[in-house]
Amino acid sequence: FILLFVLSAFVYRDKIYSIWSQAFTDYFPCKIAITYSIGTFDDRFGLSQKDFLSAMSDAEKIWEKPVGKDLFKYTKDGNIKINLIYDKRQASTEQLHQIGAVVDDNKSLYNQQKVRYDDLNSEYRIQKATLESAISAFEIRKNAYEAEVLKANRRGGADKATFDRLNTEKNYLNTEAGRINTIQNSLNILVREINNLAVSLNALASKLNIVVDKYNTVGTSLGGEFDEGVYKTGPDGREIDIYQFDNRSKLVRVLAHELGHALGLEHVDDPKAIMYRLNNGINEKLTSTDLTALQKLCGIMQK
């Protein structure tokens, strides 16, 4: 039994240490540095691991400097895996730059984007109606075809004329399915561009102080609560997944935000705070709200 216990402890030593370390930091926050390492790293962000670790270092300091403690430490086999995951969020961010939708104090850019947005929305409604009509007609013919095939099978087969007619209908349905798929793909591309323009126009309207109704996205929304990154903890350990950033400052902020969660901090109501639920600030230092939450977590007397 003792040998089995020792052997199990040796085999699962990394997981045991990870669980112990997590429990220690949960019950005794800020007492020992939380270690981290790089996990999945997607090169499509155009960022080297050296530059990424530099941003991580800056994110660490946001929390460490105000309290004079080493709260985080990079090691090759750190307990928290930091993953850089490329998906539609970063792709949308890059497309904004590609279509010239960089937010600046430019009224003419706003007007150009608004015209484009209105044109694309009109095209979207036409394509959507076309797609829905095609799908409806396809389903009617598909159901009729399947019903006739089932009927023929129950009779023990079909005569040559019926077989040829059903085979022709089958070929039509396959071709129509391909056409519908093409329309759907085209619509998906259109939706992505409309959503990118909506994000850009809302940002431009805010920056230029233009009073307009909010520009809406279509399909799945690009918005949400701090979905540029996420902190996860579970039986397999702890991870921070980074999905999106517009520039280095935004990367440092999203890393700092998720490191705050790793410390044990929750969201706060201060819109300028690092721990606010949305990554809409520009500061790279703690607000008084952040600092108060950190001092309370670490058991530091507030001055």
Side-chain angles (χ1 to χ4, degrees):
F1 175 80
I2 293 173
L3 286 174
L4 182 61
F5 177 80
V6 172
L7 180 61
S8 298
F10 177 78
V11 172
Y12 297 104
R13 63 190 183 280
D14 291 338
K15 182 169 287 188
I16 292 171
Y17 176 75
S18 177
I19 294 172
W20 174 87
S21 177
Q22 181 174 337
F24 187 90
T25 54
D26 287 343
Y27 286 102
F28 304 100
C30 311
K31 300 303 180 186
I32 60 172
I34 298 173
T35 60
Y36 65 87
S37 58
I38 293 180
T40 302
F41 194 88
D42 198 312
D43 293 331
R44 282 179 289 179
F45 283 88
L47 190 70
S48 69
Q49 291 196 17
K50 180 180 178 181
D51 289 338
F52 185 70
L53 286 174
S54 172
M56 273 296 299
S57 177
D58 288 349
E60 283 183 55
K61 292 171 184 174
I62 288 176
W63 295 107
E64 294 173 338
K65 279 188 175 181
V67 294
K69 287 178 172 286
D70 288 328
L71 301 175
F72 303 97
K73 180 182 179 182
Y74 169 75
T75 64
K76 191 174 181 180
D77 300 308
N79 288 328
I80 299 181
K81 299 297 181 186
I82 314 293
N83 304 309
L84 198 57
I85 301 173
Y86 190 98
D87 67 5
K88 65 180 181 181
R89 280 163 280 196
Q90 185 64 20
S92 295
T93 297
E94 293 175 2
Q95 189 176 355
L96 281 174
H97 291 289
Q98 292 170 5
I99 64 175
V102 179
V103 176
D104 58 14
D105 296 316
N106 190 328
K107 184 67 179 291
S108 64
L109 173 61
Y110 171 84
N111 291 331
Q112 292 170 19
Q113 299 291 358
K114 184 180 183 303
V115 170
R116 179 68 175 159
Y117 175 84
D118 292 339
D119 289 345
L120 289 180
N121 263 298
S122 296
E123 186 178 344
Y124 167 77
R125 286 191 290 271
I126 293 171
Q127 284 197 27
K128 187 170 182 286
T130 300
L131 178 63
E132 290 173 346
S133 176
I135 290 175
S136 178
F138 175 82
E139 289 296 329
I140 292 172
R141 290 187 65 161
K142 178 172 172 287
N143 291 336
Y145 166 79
E146 290 175 345
E148 194 167 355
V149 169
L150 181 62
K151 185 178 179 180
N153 288 337
R154 285 175 176 171
R155 289 199 308 261
D159 56 46
K160 187 177 185 306
T162 302
F163 177 82
D164 290 343
R165 180 169 54 79
L166 288 175
N167 197 47
T168 300
E169 183 68 2
K170 178 183 177 182
N171 291 335
Y172 165 80
L173 289 171
N174 288 336
T175 301
E176 186 65 6
R179 187 179 79 89
I180 289 173
N181 189 56
T182 299
I183 297 173
Q184 180 68 70
N185 290 337
S186 175
L187 195 62
N188 288 339
I189 294 172
L190 189 60
V191 164
R192 284 197 295 270
E193 187 169 356
I194 291 172
N195 288 346
N196 289 337
L197 283 168
V199 172
S200 175
L201 281 166
N202 286 324
L204 277 167
S206 175
K207 187 136 187 174
L208 297 171
N209 198 27
I210 301 172
V211 181
V212 292
D213 292 333
K214 180 178 175 62
Y215 292 93
N216 296 317
T217 57
V218 295
T220 55
S221 173
L222 295 174
E225 286 198 357
F226 217 101
D227 58 0
E228 295 97 331
V230 63
Y231 168 71
K232 302 183 298 184
T233 180
D236 294 327
R238 293 184 287 176
E239 293 182 307
I240 290 176
D241 294 340
I242 302 299
Y243 297 104
Q244 176 188 4
F245 53 89
D246 187 51
N247 50 48
R248 190 180 188 280
S249 294
K250 289 290 187 181
L251 173 59
V252 170
R253 276 186 59 86
V254 69
L255 286 169
H257 181 95
E258 302 309 333
L259 287 178
H261 284 313
L263 283 170
L265 297 172
E266 301 296 335
H267 289 156
V268 298
D269 293 329
D270 179 2
K272 294 182 179 179
I274 294 294
M275 292 310 297
Y276 185 57
R277 63 185 180 86
L278 300 176
N279 189 16
N280 60 357
I282 58 173
N283 60 303
E284 292 186 24
K285 62 181 181 179
L286 304 185
T287 64
S288 59
T289 308
D290 289 315
L291 184 57
T292 298
L294 179 61
Q295 289 174 332
K296 182 178 179 181
L297 177 75
C298 297
I300 299 173
M301 294 294 292
Q302 299 181 29
K303 297 179 180 180

